[in-house]
Structure formats: C-alpha cells, structure tokens
Amino acid sequence: MSDSEARTAREEWGSRFGFLMAMLGAMVGAGNIWRMPFTTGENGGGAFLVAYILLLYLIAVPGLMAETMIGRYTNHGVIGAFRTVLGSKRAQGLGLVVLIVNVALMSYYAPIIGWALYYAGHSVLMTFTQPGFQPQAFWEGFINNPTLVVGMHTVTMAGLAGVLVFGIRRGIERVVKWMIPLLVVALVAVSIRGITLPGGMEGVAFVFTPDWGYLTRGSTWVAALSQALFSTGLGWGIALTYGSYLSRYDDVPLGGGLFTAIGNTSIGLLAVFATFPVVFAFGLEPSAGSNLLFISMAQVFPELPGGSLWAIVFFVSFFFATFTSGLGITEVAVTTVSEETRLSRTGAVLASCGAIWVFGLPSAYSSAFLGQMDFMFGSFGLPLATLSIIALVAWKFGPERARVLDLNRNAGIYVGAWWNSVVKYVIPVVMVFILGYGVYSSIGTANQRLMLLGVAFMAGLVVVSTLVMSVVGDEPPSGSAAVPGGDD
Amino acid sequence: MALSTLTWVSMLVSLLLLPGVAAAVLVRSLRTEERKLALLREQDDIDSYSPRAFSDLRGWIRANPDDPYAPIARRRYNECVRSLRAIDEPHYDWSDEQIARLELVDE
C-alpha cells in the first residue's frame, strides 16, 4: 500500500501551530507546575538545571523524535504501530501494555484535573478572596467530600469526551490553539507579579543559585533523569499517537522532538518564576507539592493587591495545563480503540472515557489510593511503556533505518548518525537504571510491599497482554514478520 | 535582595537554553511550514529530503539492497528525484548541478 493511499483515510492536523500546541499541551501537566520548581530548588538550583538541560538534550529530545517518527511512519495508534513493525499477533501485546499503562495513568490523572477545575471555578467565583476564607479547611472540605470529588471527576471526563468527539482537527487542535498560548501568557504575568513582590527575588535566588557540589551526588542526576524523561511525556504513547496524524510533508525532529521537549521544560521554568517568588515572599513551605498549589497558593491571593484577578489567572492556567494533558493521554486510547474495534470515533470516545471514568472512581474517592496508583504506574508502568516504544524503534525497526527512511524526510533539521546510539543504547540503559533504582530505593521502606506488587503487576501485564493479543490481535500486514530486528 | 553574578548567569543561561531555544524553534518551524505550503500551492509538489539526508538514503540503499525496507527506501528515493526534476524551486538547498546528477534507481 502506498503512502498516499494510507493517508487519505486518516485525519491530519490542520496546521503546524495546532500540532505543536497539542504536543506541548499534552506534555505540560501538573508535574511541570508543582514538581519542577521544587525539584530544582532541592537539588542544587542552577547545578540541577545544568544536569537537567544536558539530559534533556541528550535523551528526551532524541527519544521524542523516535516516538513521533514511528507514529508518522506507521500511521497507527499504539497497537497498530507494534503490529506494523513487529509483525506478529503476540508482539502486539506490548502495544496493549502501553495502552493499559496509559489508561491507568489517566484514571488517576482525571481526578487531579477535576481538582484543578474545582479551584479554577472557585477562582472565577472569587471564593479565595472572600473575608474569612480558610485554605486548609476549604481543601479538606473538598477532598473529603466524595460527592464533590467524584462529581468533578465526572465533569472532567465529560469535558474531555466533549472535545475528543470532534476529532483531531475540530476537537483537540481547536482547543489547544488558544489554551496553551493563554497558559504561557498567564504564567508570564504571574511571574512578573511574583518577582516584583518584596522578598520575591529570594525565591529566584533559591532556584537559580548553583551549588556545584550537587553535581557529584547521584541523587541529583537521578532526579534530573526522571524529570527529563517523565515530564517530557516520552514513552506515554502520546507522541506516537499525535505523530500518526502528521502528513507526509510534516517535519518530525524539529517539532516532535526539539520543540516538544524544550517547550515543555520552558513552561516548567516559567512555573518556577510563577510560584517560587510568591512562595518566598509569603514565607510558604517550598516542598509542599500539590498542597503548594491548593493550600499555600490559595492562601496568598487574598493578601495580593488585585488578588481575585491573580487567582483566576493562576488557577485557570493550571486547569488548562492539566486539561490539555488529559486530552493527549485519552487520545491514545481513543485512537487505538477506534482502530482496533468496529466502533466509530464517537463510540471509541465514549468507550475510552467511560472506562477511564470507571477506573478513576477509586482514585477520585481516595487520595491515598491515587498516591498508590501514582507510585505503581509512575515508577514501574511508565518506564515499561517507554522501554516498549523505544525498543520498537531501536531494536526492531532499527535506528539507522528509522533515521534515513523517515526521520530526515521533510525534516526541519538534519539528524546525524549520533542519534542511532542514543536511541539504541543510552535511552534503554537509562530506563532500566531508573526501574532498578526505583526498586532499590524502595527496599526497606514503607513502599516495599507496593514496589513488589508493582513489579509483579507489570510482569503479569506483559504476559497477559501478550497472550490476549495472540488470541484477539489482528493479523499483521504481509511480509512484516520477515523483517529482521535492528539494522541487521 | 540583590542576586549574585553567578545566580544571574545561571538564570539567564537557563532562559536562553529553554524558552529562548523553544521560541526560536517555534518560529523556524512555522516559517518552514509556511514556505512548504507556498511551494506546494505553486508547484503541487516539493522535494522530501535535504541533500545531506538524501545522500544518507542513497548510501543506505546501496549498503542494504536486500533489506525488507529497501523497496520503500527506493520508492522514496525515486519520488524525491522525480520531484526535484519536476519542480522549479526546491524546498531544500539543492543546486541545479546536484539535481542534474541525480539518477533513478530500479524499484
């Protein structure tokens, strides 16, 4: 089947800007806003940024190029991509692993979007600047009210379904084209407000003053690796799925790789400027994580001149960051379900969003359950999914084939042969290291049992997915089974 | 609070390497797309590989004639050659001499 034949039946992005904003929106999420500032400050400030930027360019950029490229080349979602390249029914099980990890991640991310929506709504109602407002009590009143949290989870999934049902161009693209620019403008505005506060520059000093001693600590590099790999969305299947909607004339390495990774981190850096000056100006605890947003920041706005407006700007932009990630994560399931079943796009959206809603109910109901899901799937599921996708490109398709045939086709930048060894050796080694480090650092801690459960669950997931796909998987395209692995 | 010189340098380098690079890449990517669309409107076709990427493709086809992906590679190679011969203005920096030297390969 020729390229053009394969592409006429599939929707494509309407514009380059739409694709870039969708990629950026999918990768920028809650972690960029509440994790990056704290991780930077806690790991040597400027020294951490040196390690992080180095690893970002060395690993995340080439990895995202590989993932986007395999999506464009195969023109399929995760299971279809594995079927096209691996050429066996059983091997499609790895695609199913990526899909299940993705659905699991979204099941506990959707309630977080619901939290962001609740706070965005209350910022518009100017609740945070009402006399006598108590941020701690407000948060606890919300999170301990099952009707409210499950309700917000439901509204979130309905909202995502309402956008996704319109497809790539009229749904996702139409929304992200204004949400992401507004997010950037809002973060810049909050940053300017923050650094002009008395004491705000202390937050900047905390984050950016380099303590070079941290570069000799293993923990700094592990933190930088985790942040560079996971905050950029590498291996979630999103870049593969969004890449599958690129046209043959579109570039992959400049937009799918460089812009996505660097743009995503740039928003993380903006979040540093938006939160840390405020944190220091008001003497808040910088390591508060999600509490930093929902309790500490909410406490600040009544004391700021024009606090109601700043609360709206901050919480609505935070909601945009999480919602656009939700679109990307859910689209992985929607694309795959619509390809692998006889369901229409609308049917696939309803099935995917319905399943995520059901699986998300325990996480919506219990923050402790949400934390356990995050530990299991964030620590073990994501590295497994990333390894699967990178192995598909590097060890089966072959990096040299990928680079020469497709990556450099219609590319905005030329990618040299250095890329091959990064994708084939460096990224898999790093992923295995992170998996191993996750196991090692959990031994003897309260998480040990959960870690063992996570490892056993992921191993079982691979076995069961392989068996399931060997029974229900579609026959691979003729000839693909004969393709040797790597560049052999 | 006055920041130290080292903090200023660290902050400015981070801003340059992250938002600076991202903004430059965004502008370049959008301009490239604009030019591709203009060329497609005018010529109905554009060249798909830069001279350097095309040279890699040619080298790979020669080194791997029996590879299962070789037919796709040869098709894409010939497609690029035909486009370069048909169009007036290439997207990549191909010279007339380079285009004149190109030959089709057997599919």
Side-chain angles (χ1 to χ4, degrees), chain A residues 164-234:
Chain A
L164 291 171
V165 81
F166 288 102
I168 296 295
R169 192 182 294 202
R170 291 191 309 127
I172 296 173
E173 188 170 340
R174 193 181 277 178
V175 169
V176 296
K177 272 164 81 170
W178 61 268
M179 271 194 181
I180 297 303
L182 278 178
L183 166 68
V184 172
V185 170
L187 285 175
V188 169
V190 178
S191 303
I192 292 169
R193 174 70 275 208
I195 56 178
T196 51
L197 286 170
M201 289 307 267
E202 282 176 35
V204 175
F206 174 74
V207 175
F208 288 102
T209 305
D211 183 346
W212 301 116
Y214 276 85
L215 284 179
T216 60
R217 297 183 188 180
S219 58
T220 304
W221 290 91
V222 171
L225 266 178
S226 303
Q227 187 75 20
L229 282 171
F230 300 131
S231 81
T232 52
L234 173 62

Side-chain angles (χ1 to χ4, degrees), chain A residues 3 15-17 20 46 49 53 56-57 73 201-202 204-205 208-210 248-251 254 258-259 262-263 265-266 269 273 397 400-401 403-406 408-412 414 483-484, chain B residues 1 3-4 6-8 10-11 14-15 17-19 21-22 25-26 28-30 32-33 36 40 44-50 52-53 56-57 60 64 67-69 72-73 75-76 79 92:
Chain A
D3 290 352
S15 68
R16 185 75 181 153
F17 186 68
L20 295 175
L49 285 173
I53 291 171
L56 187 76
Y57 278 94
Y73 179 81
M201 289 307 267
E202 282 176 35
V204 175
F208 288 102
T209 305
R248 56 171 290 193
Y249 294 112
D250 278 319
D251 141 274
L254 192 63
L258 197 60
F259 177 74
I262 307 300
T265 310
S266 302
L269 196 71
F273 282 106
F397 195 82
E400 180 64 3
R401 271 197 205 113
R403 187 182 72 85
V404 167
L405 271 178
D406 208 72
N408 278 329
R409 191 186 195 208
N410 288 307
Y414 170 79
V483 177
Chain B
M1 177 192 176
L3 299 181
S4 68
L6 194 58
T7 306
W8 275 109
S10 168
M11 183 170 70
S14 301
L15 286 171
L17 286 177
L18 294 171
V21 170
V25 169
L26 178 64
R28 182 177 165 166
S29 189
L30 295 177
T32 304
E33 191 216 18
K36 274 185 191 172
L40 277 168
D44 207 32
D45 199 2
I46 55 168
D47 43 322
S48 45
Y49 291 94
S50 68
R52 214 169 157 197
D56 285 353
L57 182 64
W60 188 86
N64 303 279
D67 189 277
Y69 286 85
I72 300 170
R75 195 163 62 234
R76 290 186 173 189
E79 185 186 273
Y92 293 107

